[in-house]
Amino acid sequence: MEKILYVTDLDGTLMRDDKTISEETVAILNRLIDRGIYVTYATARSMSSASVITRDIHFPLPAIIRNGTILADARTGEELEKICFTREETDVLRKYIRDFVKDIPGYVTAYIEGVQKKSYLKGVMNTGFVDYLENHAKDMRLREVEEEAQLYEGEVNYFTFIADKEELDPLYQLVKESLDWICVYQKDKYRPEYWLEICPREATKAKAIQKLQRQYGCSRVVVFGDSLNDISMFEIADEAYAVANAMEELKTIATEVIGDNNSDGVARWLERRYNHD
């Protein structure tokens, strides 16, 4: 059997609008995994968040986490590889954003003495960020800091800002043209706020997929997605499928549009292909 690497996004693609994966999708994927297909997921979520949602699926390959900054064992959650900013890159980016971090809420993900922390500045809040903190109240990685300099302690590998589009646009316009990092800017799937995420230039879903393709000796790559942060993997895939609820920008570069996320579009497409084969 030809080795094909299948990679699916989570939110809005494999997951339904209620932030769950259906029992039908779980059953289909596990049957196909038992038959030996190479499948994993690529997400902007952290491993702790993604693993709760995917825990019933026996993914055999590493998961692509935080838009490609981390490869992690999909079953145990162990981080296998990570990409961080150099200290010089962090210092440059800090200069770009210094006029914004005291007004726009968000957090900086970094490894401090080997432990991942998500540091945010005390008192810089809006309704979207308060909602985020409330939904992640049990996340032991969250770290409130008093001083702006504390945001950049450790090995930094991700920046996240959460605010209304009008508030975030000026920051996005400032950082988007740099070749020193990757920017992902899009509306939250579940709330009105926008998210601006900045990660190292070598960290994309596409580059992580290519790494897995080489590692597992797969001859082809097939991907599934719905949002702007899936564009990079659509561009390098042999086949790229947008779910029916995907953004129009993604549909225009897709091989085909398949069923939506609420009707098991990805799992049913895979089931049809393998039943046909």
Side-chain angles (χ1 to χ4, degrees):
M1 183 184 297
E2 181 184 17
K3 278 188 180 181
I4 301 174
L5 174 60
Y6 295 99
V7 183
T8 178
D9 174 54
L10 286 185
D11 289 83
T13 304
L14 200 67
M15 291 165 55
R16 299 178 292 188
D17 291 343
D18 64 1
K19 303 184 184 182
T20 66
I21 297 176
S22 75
E23 292 181 0
E24 183 70 10
T25 284
V26 170
I28 291 172
L29 289 184
N30 282 337
R31 284 199 299 270
L32 293 175
I33 289 167
D34 287 344
R35 290 177 58 180
I37 77 163
Y38 289 74
V39 60
T40 189
Y41 62 88
T43 181
R45 287 178 176 266
S46 66
M47 192 64 217
S48 62
S49 172
S51 62
V52 173
I53 295 162
T54 63
R55 62 181 177 270
D56 294 325
I57 303 174
H58 309 144
F59 286 109
L61 273 59
I64 298 166
I65 303 300
R66 300 309 297 267
N67 284 326
T69 59
I70 295 169
L71 287 177
D73 188 304
R75 300 187 185 188
T76 67
E78 177 189 359
E79 292 185 355
L80 305 174
E81 294 183 34
K82 65 179 184 292
I83 300 174
C84 294
F85 289 99
T86 65
R87 175 46 56 187
E88 292 76 15
E89 290 169 340
T90 300
D91 290 341
V92 170
L93 185 50
R94 180 181 176 183
K95 291 177 182 178
Y96 270 78
I97 67 177
R98 62 185 175 190
D99 293 333
F100 295 89
V101 294
K102 293 183 179 180
D103 297 311
I104 300 178
Y107 57 89
V108 178
T109 303
Y111 292 82
I112 300 175
E113 296 183 353
V115 178
Q116 190 185 78
K117 294 293 182 180
K118 296 158 69 174
S119 302
Y120 63 96
L121 200 55
K122 182 178 181 179
V124 182
M125 296 286 162
N126 60 24
T127 54
F129 193 58
V130 169
D131 181 76
Y132 176 85
L133 292 177
E134 289 175 348
N135 286 328
H136 295 79
K138 295 182 180 180
D139 189 344
M140 301 303 294
R141 296 169 303 161
L142 286 169
R143 172 180 179 251
E144 183 182 73
V145 299
E146 299 277 350
E147 303 293 337
E148 183 255 355
Q150 294 175 278
L151 293 172
Y152 311 106
E153 294 176 342
E155 293 181 278
V156 175
N157 86 321
Y158 212 85
F159 291 77
T160 305
F161 297 93
I162 303 170
D164 293 336
K165 188 175 187 297
E166 295 75 14
E167 191 176 3
L168 268 181
D169 268 347
L171 176 55
Y172 174 59
Q173 295 302 324
L174 181 65
V175 299
K176 72 174 183 177
E177 300 299 336
S178 176
L179 299 178
D180 294 326
W181 48 74
I182 301 293
C183 294
V184 180
Y185 185 46
Q186 60 189 0
K187 184 181 177 299
D188 189 293
K189 294 185 185 299
Y190 311 107
R191 289 187 53 85
E193 293 83 18
Y194 276 66
W195 285 51
L196 172 59
E197 296 165 294
I198 308 171
C199 53
R201 60 186 172 188
E202 293 303 313
T204 66
K205 288 185 177 183
K207 290 179 180 179
I209 287 169
Q210 290 171 325
K211 184 178 294 184
L212 291 181
Q213 182 182 12
R214 292 191 298 270
Q215 183 176 340
Y216 289 90
C218 296
S219 58
R220 294 172 58 78
V221 171
V222 178
V223 301
F224 306 88
D226 76 305
S227 294
L228 296 181
N229 68 338
D230 298 319
I231 287 177
S232 74
M233 68 179 189
F234 268 49
E235 291 175 337
I236 58 93
D238 296 288
E239 299 173 48
Y241 295 92
V243 286
N245 53 287
M247 301 180 72
E248 289 302 318
E249 294 95 324
L250 207 64
K251 290 180 180 179
T252 61
I253 62 172
T255 305
E256 186 180 322
V257 177
I258 63 173
D260 66 63
N261 65 316
N262 288 318
S263 56
D264 305 298
V266 172
R268 293 191 182 281
W269 185 93
L270 286 167
E271 184 178 47
R272 287 193 299 273
R273 169 163 285 196
Y274 278 86
N275 283 343
H276 176 74
D277 292 346

